[in-house]
Amino acid sequence: MLALNDRADAIEQRARELATIAIERGETWVQDFSDAPVASGPHEQWLLEVAAGAAYLDRWNIDNPDSILDGVTVSYEQETQRSRVLGAAQRSNMLTVVETPPTKAAYVFSGHEFLEPPKQDFGLDL
């Protein structure tokens, strides 16, 4: 049992190292995991999700992918692992905090009716 725990620790350490290298190099597949959160707790979780992607790529000897989302799987095992990595990418995208939240429309009560803010034209022709 101790040997299995040591092996699991070694695999996790290698995955983190590969993830760190990929992040530092700016490898394109890391973009599937969104931007790194600034806060330390979410950043650590984000790094673990990226490490899952790095472990998948390492396990299946996939070199220089543009995206985790691309690729042909060759077995049920690989497809299962790929779906787990896609889940990791989705979770990491939820960790990104929006610095400036969108503003809500403000309504001003005036007498017996609400006055809406003026319509803003953003030049979009839809």
Side-chain angles (χ1 to χ4, degrees):
M1 184 77 155
L2 184 59
L4 291 175
N5 289 338
D6 288 345
R7 178 154 171 76
D9 290 344
I11 291 170
E12 288 177 24
Q13 182 178 353
R14 176 170 170 75
R16 287 178 67 96
E17 289 171 1
L18 291 172
T20 301
I21 291 168
I23 293 164
E24 289 172 355
R25 289 182 181 169
E27 293 183 13
T28 56
W29 67 267
V30 176
Q31 294 172 2
D32 292 336
F33 293 84
S34 189
D35 295 328
V38 178
S40 62
H43 186 273
E44 181 62 25
Q45 183 62 40
W46 177 82
L47 183 58
L48 290 174
E49 305 295 1
V50 175
Y56 170 79
L57 295 173
D58 186 50
R59 163 65 178 91
W60 295 101
N61 297 316
I62 301 171
D63 295 326
N64 303 318
D66 289 332
S67 172
I68 288 287
L69 307 175
D70 295 339
V72 176
T73 57
V74 294
S75 68
Y76 177 76
E77 178 187 10
Q78 184 179 3
E79 180 59 36
T80 301
Q81 291 177 8
R82 183 176 179 272
S83 69
R84 289 180 182 158
V85 171
L86 294 176
Q90 289 175 338
R91 287 188 301 276
S92 69
N93 279 288
M94 291 187 284
L95 293 171
T96 303
V97 177
V98 177
E99 295 290 328
T100 308
T103 57
K104 294 181 181 177
Y107 294 92
V108 179
F109 185 71
S110 174
H112 297 291
E113 44 187 79
F114 286 103
L115 300 176
E116 293 184 31
K119 300 287 184 205
Q120 296 180 358
D121 181 16
F122 294 105
L124 301 175
D125 295 327
L126 300 176

PDB file of all heavy atoms in Angstrom, residues 70-98:
ATOM      1  N   ASP A  70      -9.297  19.159 -28.438  1.00  0.00           N
ATOM      2  CA  ASP A  70      -9.077  18.466 -29.704  1.00  0.00           C
ATOM      3  C   ASP A  70      -8.507  17.078 -29.446  1.00  0.00           C
ATOM      4  O   ASP A  70      -8.074  16.760 -28.355  1.00  0.00           O
ATOM      5  CB  ASP A  70      -8.082  19.241 -30.568  1.00  0.00           C
ATOM      6  CG  ASP A  70      -8.626  20.590 -31.002  1.00  0.00           C
ATOM      7  OD1 ASP A  70      -9.851  20.756 -30.995  1.00  0.00           O
ATOM      8  OD2 ASP A  70      -7.818  21.468 -31.333  1.00  0.00           O
ATOM      9  N   GLY A  71      -8.492  16.303 -30.461  1.00  0.00           N
ATOM     10  CA  GLY A  71      -7.793  15.034 -30.377  1.00  0.00           C
ATOM     11  C   GLY A  71      -8.695  13.840 -30.552  1.00  0.00           C
ATOM     12  O   GLY A  71      -9.858  13.844 -30.195  1.00  0.00           O
ATOM     13  N   VAL A  72      -8.097  12.844 -31.114  1.00  0.00           N
ATOM     14  CA  VAL A  72      -8.790  11.595 -31.335  1.00  0.00           C
ATOM     15  C   VAL A  72      -8.366  10.632 -30.233  1.00  0.00           C
ATOM     16  O   VAL A  72      -7.187  10.528 -29.904  1.00  0.00           O
ATOM     17  CB  VAL A  72      -8.400  11.010 -32.718  1.00  0.00           C
ATOM     18  CG1 VAL A  72      -9.035   9.666 -32.941  1.00  0.00           C
ATOM     19  CG2 VAL A  72      -8.776  11.990 -33.810  1.00  0.00           C
ATOM     20  N   THR A  73      -9.321   9.963 -29.664  1.00  0.00           N
ATOM     21  CA  THR A  73      -8.988   8.982 -28.640  1.00  0.00           C
ATOM     22  C   THR A  73      -8.864   7.610 -29.285  1.00  0.00           C
ATOM     23  O   THR A  73      -9.499   7.321 -30.295  1.00  0.00           O
ATOM     24  CB  THR A  73     -10.066   8.950 -27.538  1.00  0.00           C
ATOM     25  OG1 THR A  73     -11.327   8.668 -28.125  1.00  0.00           O
ATOM     26  CG2 THR A  73     -10.128  10.267 -26.805  1.00  0.00           C
ATOM     27  N   VAL A  74      -8.018   6.781 -28.679  1.00  0.00           N
ATOM     28  CA  VAL A  74      -7.754   5.468 -29.271  1.00  0.00           C
ATOM     29  C   VAL A  74      -8.344   4.324 -28.464  1.00  0.00           C
ATOM     30  O   VAL A  74      -8.323   3.186 -28.907  1.00  0.00           O
ATOM     31  CB  VAL A  74      -6.236   5.238 -29.448  1.00  0.00           C
ATOM     32  CG1 VAL A  74      -5.668   6.204 -30.465  1.00  0.00           C
ATOM     33  CG2 VAL A  74      -5.515   5.348 -28.121  1.00  0.00           C
ATOM     34  N   SER A  75      -8.839   4.632 -27.266  1.00  0.00           N
ATOM     35  CA  SER A  75      -9.389   3.569 -26.452  1.00  0.00           C
ATOM     36  C   SER A  75     -10.445   4.134 -25.501  1.00  0.00           C
ATOM     37  O   SER A  75     -10.533   5.341 -25.293  1.00  0.00           O
ATOM     38  CB  SER A  75      -8.292   2.888 -25.633  1.00  0.00           C
ATOM     39  OG  SER A  75      -7.791   3.782 -24.657  1.00  0.00           O
ATOM     40  N   TYR A  76     -11.189   3.240 -24.912  1.00  0.00           N
ATOM     41  CA  TYR A  76     -12.187   3.640 -23.925  1.00  0.00           C
ATOM     42  C   TYR A  76     -11.503   4.295 -22.726  1.00  0.00           C
ATOM     43  O   TYR A  76     -11.994   5.286 -22.189  1.00  0.00           O
ATOM     44  CB  TYR A  76     -13.009   2.428 -23.489  1.00  0.00           C
ATOM     45  CG  TYR A  76     -14.014   2.757 -22.415  1.00  0.00           C
ATOM     46  CD1 TYR A  76     -15.188   3.438 -22.723  1.00  0.00           C
ATOM     47  CD2 TYR A  76     -13.785   2.411 -21.089  1.00  0.00           C
ATOM     48  CE1 TYR A  76     -16.109   3.761 -21.745  1.00  0.00           C
ATOM     49  CE2 TYR A  76     -14.701   2.722 -20.104  1.00  0.00           C
ATOM     50  CZ  TYR A  76     -15.861   3.401 -20.432  1.00  0.00           C
ATOM     51  OH  TYR A  76     -16.770   3.729 -19.461  1.00  0.00           O
ATOM     52  N   GLU A  77     -10.371   3.741 -22.305  1.00  0.00           N
ATOM     53  CA  GLU A  77      -9.621   4.308 -21.176  1.00  0.00           C
ATOM     54  C   GLU A  77      -9.218   5.753 -21.459  1.00  0.00           C
ATOM     55  O   GLU A  77      -9.384   6.636 -20.616  1.00  0.00           O
ATOM     56  CB  GLU A  77      -8.382   3.463 -20.894  1.00  0.00           C
ATOM     57  CG  GLU A  77      -7.532   4.021 -19.759  1.00  0.00           C
ATOM     58  CD  GLU A  77      -6.212   3.273 -19.581  1.00  0.00           C
ATOM     59  OE1 GLU A  77      -5.859   2.445 -20.446  1.00  0.00           O
ATOM     60  OE2 GLU A  77      -5.534   3.541 -18.589  1.00  0.00           O
ATOM     61  N   GLN A  78      -8.706   6.010 -22.657  1.00  0.00           N
ATOM     62  CA  GLN A  78      -8.295   7.371 -22.998  1.00  0.00           C
ATOM     63  C   GLN A  78      -9.504   8.298 -23.050  1.00  0.00           C
ATOM     64  O   GLN A  78      -9.445   9.429 -22.581  1.00  0.00           O
ATOM     65  CB  GLN A  78      -7.548   7.406 -24.331  1.00  0.00           C
ATOM     66  CG  GLN A  78      -7.020   8.803 -24.645  1.00  0.00           C
ATOM     67  CD  GLN A  78      -6.257   8.871 -25.949  1.00  0.00           C
ATOM     68  OE1 GLN A  78      -6.157   7.885 -26.678  1.00  0.00           O
ATOM     69  NE2 GLN A  78      -5.711  10.027 -26.241  1.00  0.00           N
ATOM     70  N   GLU A  79     -10.604   7.827 -23.614  1.00  0.00           N
ATOM     71  CA  GLU A  79     -11.811   8.657 -23.689  1.00  0.00           C
ATOM     72  C   GLU A  79     -12.314   8.991 -22.292  1.00  0.00           C
ATOM     73  O   GLU A  79     -12.734  10.124 -22.020  1.00  0.00           O
ATOM     74  CB  GLU A  79     -12.899   7.945 -24.496  1.00  0.00           C
ATOM     75  CG  GLU A  79     -14.180   8.753 -24.625  1.00  0.00           C
ATOM     76  CD  GLU A  79     -13.992  10.111 -25.280  1.00  0.00           C
ATOM     77  OE1 GLU A  79     -13.165  10.229 -26.201  1.00  0.00           O
ATOM     78  OE2 GLU A  79     -14.686  11.069 -24.872  1.00  0.00           O
ATOM     79  N   THR A  80     -12.260   8.036 -21.385  1.00  0.00           N
ATOM     80  CA  THR A  80     -12.689   8.271 -20.000  1.00  0.00           C
ATOM     81  C   THR A  80     -11.802   9.314 -19.335  1.00  0.00           C
ATOM     82  O   THR A  80     -12.293  10.242 -18.684  1.00  0.00           O
ATOM     83  CB  THR A  80     -12.650   6.949 -19.203  1.00  0.00           C
ATOM     84  OG1 THR A  80     -13.520   6.013 -19.834  1.00  0.00           O
ATOM     85  CG2 THR A  80     -13.082   7.160 -17.771  1.00  0.00           C
ATOM     86  N   GLN A  81     -10.508   9.196 -19.522  1.00  0.00           N
ATOM     87  CA  GLN A  81      -9.585  10.164 -18.932  1.00  0.00           C
ATOM     88  C   GLN A  81      -9.747  11.544 -19.572  1.00  0.00           C
ATOM     89  O   GLN A  81      -9.669  12.564 -18.893  1.00  0.00           O
ATOM     90  CB  GLN A  81      -8.148   9.668 -19.064  1.00  0.00           C
ATOM     91  CG  GLN A  81      -7.869   8.469 -18.191  1.00  0.00           C
ATOM     92  CD  GLN A  81      -6.475   7.920 -18.374  1.00  0.00           C
ATOM     93  OE1 GLN A  81      -5.638   8.497 -19.047  1.00  0.00           O
ATOM     94  NE2 GLN A  81      -6.220   6.771 -17.775  1.00  0.00           N
ATOM     95  N   ARG A  82      -9.985  11.561 -20.863  1.00  0.00           N
ATOM     96  CA  ARG A  82     -10.188  12.837 -21.557  1.00  0.00           C
ATOM     97  C   ARG A  82     -11.435  13.542 -21.020  1.00  0.00           C
ATOM     98  O   ARG A  82     -11.421  14.750 -20.810  1.00  0.00           O
ATOM     99  CB  ARG A  82     -10.330  12.610 -23.063  1.00  0.00           C
ATOM    100  CG  ARG A  82     -10.481  13.894 -23.851  1.00  0.00           C
ATOM    101  CD  ARG A  82     -10.515  13.577 -25.355  1.00  0.00           C
ATOM    102  NE  ARG A  82     -10.689  14.770 -26.116  1.00  0.00           N
ATOM    103  CZ  ARG A  82     -11.871  15.294 -26.434  1.00  0.00           C
ATOM    104  NH1 ARG A  82     -12.979  14.696 -26.063  1.00  0.00           N
ATOM    105  NH2 ARG A  82     -11.948  16.406 -27.135  1.00  0.00           N
ATOM    106  N   SER A  83     -12.487  12.793 -20.758  1.00  0.00           N
ATOM    107  CA  SER A  83     -13.703  13.419 -20.242  1.00  0.00           C
ATOM    108  C   SER A  83     -13.463  13.982 -18.839  1.00  0.00           C
ATOM    109  O   SER A  83     -14.015  15.023 -18.480  1.00  0.00           O
ATOM    110  CB  SER A  83     -14.881  12.448 -20.253  1.00  0.00           C
ATOM    111  OG  SER A  83     -14.709  11.422 -19.314  1.00  0.00           O
ATOM    112  N   ARG A  84     -12.623  13.331 -18.061  1.00  0.00           N
ATOM    113  CA  ARG A  84     -12.269  13.868 -16.733  1.00  0.00           C
ATOM    114  C   ARG A  84     -11.492  15.174 -16.864  1.00  0.00           C
ATOM    115  O   ARG A  84     -11.686  16.100 -16.085  1.00  0.00           O
ATOM    116  CB  ARG A  84     -11.464  12.847 -15.947  1.00  0.00           C
ATOM    117  CG  ARG A  84     -12.289  11.666 -15.507  1.00  0.00           C
ATOM    118  CD  ARG A  84     -11.465  10.688 -14.735  1.00  0.00           C
ATOM    119  NE  ARG A  84     -12.264   9.535 -14.363  1.00  0.00           N
ATOM    120  CZ  ARG A  84     -11.771   8.359 -14.054  1.00  0.00           C
ATOM    121  NH1 ARG A  84     -10.459   8.165 -14.047  1.00  0.00           N
ATOM    122  NH2 ARG A  84     -12.567   7.366 -13.741  1.00  0.00           N
ATOM    123  N   VAL A  85     -10.601  15.235 -17.833  1.00  0.00           N
ATOM    124  CA  VAL A  85      -9.823  16.457 -18.049  1.00  0.00           C
ATOM    125  C   VAL A  85     -10.732  17.582 -18.546  1.00  0.00           C
ATOM    126  O   VAL A  85     -10.570  18.738 -18.154  1.00  0.00           O
ATOM    127  CB  VAL A  85      -8.656  16.200 -19.026  1.00  0.00           C
ATOM    128  CG1 VAL A  85      -7.976  17.491 -19.428  1.00  0.00           C
ATOM    129  CG2 VAL A  85      -7.653  15.253 -18.386  1.00  0.00           C
ATOM    130  N   LEU A  86     -11.698  17.257 -19.380  1.00  0.00           N
ATOM    131  CA  LEU A  86     -12.652  18.276 -19.824  1.00  0.00           C
ATOM    132  C   LEU A  86     -13.428  18.825 -18.627  1.00  0.00           C
ATOM    133  O   LEU A  86     -13.704  20.023 -18.547  1.00  0.00           O
ATOM    134  CB  LEU A  86     -13.590  17.709 -20.882  1.00  0.00           C
ATOM    135  CG  LEU A  86     -12.930  17.317 -22.210  1.00  0.00           C
ATOM    136  CD1 LEU A  86     -13.951  16.686 -23.142  1.00  0.00           C
ATOM    137  CD2 LEU A  86     -12.259  18.507 -22.854  1.00  0.00           C
ATOM    138  N   GLY A  87     -13.779  17.957 -17.694  1.00  0.00           N
ATOM    139  CA  GLY A  87     -14.426  18.402 -16.460  1.00  0.00           C
ATOM    140  C   GLY A  87     -13.518  19.314 -15.651  1.00  0.00           C
ATOM    141  O   GLY A  87     -13.960  20.308 -15.085  1.00  0.00           O
ATOM    142  N   ALA A  88     -12.229  18.984 -15.606  1.00  0.00           N
ATOM    143  CA  ALA A  88     -11.257  19.828 -14.904  1.00  0.00           C
ATOM    144  C   ALA A  88     -11.182  21.207 -15.560  1.00  0.00           C
ATOM    145  O   ALA A  88     -11.113  22.233 -14.876  1.00  0.00           O
ATOM    146  CB  ALA A  88      -9.883  19.167 -14.898  1.00  0.00           C
ATOM    147  N   ALA A  89     -11.216  21.233 -16.882  1.00  0.00           N
ATOM    148  CA  ALA A  89     -11.179  22.519 -17.597  1.00  0.00           C
ATOM    149  C   ALA A  89     -12.429  23.343 -17.283  1.00  0.00           C
ATOM    150  O   ALA A  89     -12.346  24.556 -17.072  1.00  0.00           O
ATOM    151  CB  ALA A  89     -11.055  22.286 -19.104  1.00  0.00           C
ATOM    152  N   GLN A  90     -13.580  22.690 -17.211  1.00  0.00           N
ATOM    153  CA  GLN A  90     -14.811  23.408 -16.871  1.00  0.00           C
ATOM    154  C   GLN A  90     -14.749  23.954 -15.453  1.00  0.00           C
ATOM    155  O   GLN A  90     -15.133  25.095 -15.202  1.00  0.00           O
ATOM    156  CB  GLN A  90     -16.023  22.498 -17.031  1.00  0.00           C
ATOM    157  CG  GLN A  90     -16.353  22.191 -18.467  1.00  0.00           C
ATOM    158  CD  GLN A  90     -17.484  21.179 -18.585  1.00  0.00           C
ATOM    159  OE1 GLN A  90     -17.772  20.412 -17.672  1.00  0.00           O
ATOM    160  NE2 GLN A  90     -18.137  21.190 -19.733  1.00  0.00           N
ATOM    161  N   ARG A  91     -14.262  23.153 -14.518  1.00  0.00           N
ATOM    162  CA  ARG A  91     -14.152  23.621 -13.129  1.00  0.00           C
ATOM    163  C   ARG A  91     -13.190  24.793 -13.020  1.00  0.00           C
ATOM    164  O   ARG A  91     -13.442  25.751 -12.299  1.00  0.00           O
ATOM    165  CB  ARG A  91     -13.700  22.479 -12.213  1.00  0.00           C
ATOM    166  CG  ARG A  91     -14.774  21.450 -11.949  1.00  0.00           C
ATOM    167  CD  ARG A  91     -14.343  20.453 -10.885  1.00  0.00           C
ATOM    168  NE  ARG A  91     -13.124  19.718 -11.222  1.00  0.00           N
ATOM    169  CZ  ARG A  91     -13.088  18.622 -11.974  1.00  0.00           C
ATOM    170  NH1 ARG A  91     -14.212  18.125 -12.468  1.00  0.00           N
ATOM    171  NH2 ARG A  91     -11.947  18.005 -12.217  1.00  0.00           N
ATOM    172  N   SER A  92     -12.077  24.737 -13.756  1.00  0.00           N
ATOM    173  CA  SER A  92     -11.102  25.825 -13.686  1.00  0.00           C
ATOM    174  C   SER A  92     -11.668  27.119 -14.264  1.00  0.00           C
ATOM    175  O   SER A  92     -11.348  28.199 -13.780  1.00  0.00           O
ATOM    176  CB  SER A  92      -9.811  25.444 -14.404  1.00  0.00           C
ATOM    177  OG  SER A  92     -10.015  25.369 -15.798  1.00  0.00           O
ATOM    178  N   ASN A  93     -12.513  27.000 -15.269  1.00  0.00           N
ATOM    179  CA  ASN A  93     -13.133  28.197 -15.833  1.00  0.00           C
ATOM    180  C   ASN A  93     -14.071  28.864 -14.840  1.00  0.00           C
ATOM    181  O   ASN A  93     -14.246  30.082 -14.870  1.00  0.00           O
ATOM    182  CB  ASN A  93     -13.882  27.863 -17.126  1.00  0.00           C
ATOM    183  CG  ASN A  93     -12.950  27.770 -18.307  1.00  0.00           C
ATOM    184  OD1 ASN A  93     -12.442  28.762 -18.772  1.00  0.00           O
ATOM    185  ND2 ASN A  93     -12.692  26.555 -18.761  1.00  0.00           N
ATOM    186  N   MET A  94     -14.653  28.099 -13.938  1.00  0.00           N
ATOM    187  CA  MET A  94     -15.541  28.670 -12.927  1.00  0.00           C
ATOM    188  C   MET A  94     -14.768  29.368 -11.812  1.00  0.00           C
ATOM    189  O   MET A  94     -15.338  30.134 -11.045  1.00  0.00           O
ATOM    190  CB  MET A  94     -16.445  27.588 -12.341  1.00  0.00           C
ATOM    191  CG  MET A  94     -17.474  27.084 -13.333  1.00  0.00           C
ATOM    192  SD  MET A  94     -18.672  25.959 -12.604  1.00  0.00           S
ATOM    193  CE  MET A  94     -17.693  24.468 -12.466  1.00  0.00           C
ATOM    194  N   LEU A  95     -13.460  29.114 -11.725  1.00  0.00           N
ATOM    195  CA  LEU A  95     -12.643  29.731 -10.674  1.00  0.00           C
ATOM    196  C   LEU A  95     -12.243  31.160 -11.008  1.00  0.00           C
ATOM    197  O   LEU A  95     -11.865  31.915 -10.122  1.00  0.00           O
ATOM    198  CB  LEU A  95     -11.371  28.907 -10.439  1.00  0.00           C
ATOM    199  CG  LEU A  95     -11.573  27.526  -9.852  1.00  0.00           C
ATOM    200  CD1 LEU A  95     -10.263  26.751  -9.894  1.00  0.00           C
ATOM    201  CD2 LEU A  95     -12.101  27.623  -8.438  1.00  0.00           C
ATOM    202  N   THR A  96     -12.299  31.523 -12.270  1.00  0.00           N
ATOM    203  CA  THR A  96     -11.897  32.857 -12.680  1.00  0.00           C
ATOM    204  C   THR A  96     -12.906  33.873 -12.172  1.00  0.00           C
ATOM    205  O   THR A  96     -14.088  33.772 -12.428  1.00  0.00           O
ATOM    206  CB  THR A  96     -11.776  32.946 -14.214  1.00  0.00           C
ATOM    207  OG1 THR A  96     -10.853  31.950 -14.647  1.00  0.00           O
ATOM    208  CG2 THR A  96     -11.296  34.309 -14.643  1.00  0.00           C
ATOM    209  N   VAL A  97     -12.401  34.835 -11.451  1.00  0.00           N
ATOM    210  CA  VAL A  97     -13.253  35.872 -10.867  1.00  0.00           C
ATOM    211  C   VAL A  97     -13.275  37.073 -11.791  1.00  0.00           C
ATOM    212  O   VAL A  97     -12.234  37.515 -12.262  1.00  0.00           O
ATOM    213  CB  VAL A  97     -12.727  36.289  -9.478  1.00  0.00           C
ATOM    214  CG1 VAL A  97     -13.559  37.402  -8.886  1.00  0.00           C
ATOM    215  CG2 VAL A  97     -12.697  35.098  -8.562  1.00  0.00           C
ATOM    216  N   VAL A  98     -14.443  37.574 -12.027  1.00  0.00           N
ATOM    217  CA  VAL A  98     -14.581  38.771 -12.842  1.00  0.00           C
ATOM    218  C   VAL A  98     -14.195  39.964 -11.974  1.00  0.00           C
ATOM    219  O   VAL A  98     -14.773  40.188 -10.915  1.00  0.00           O
ATOM    220  CB  VAL A  98     -16.033  38.926 -13.359  1.00  0.00           C
ATOM    221  CG1 VAL A  98     -16.198  40.208 -14.134  1.00  0.00           C
ATOM    222  CG2 VAL A  98     -16.411  37.725 -14.187  1.00  0.00           C
TER     223      VAL A  98
END
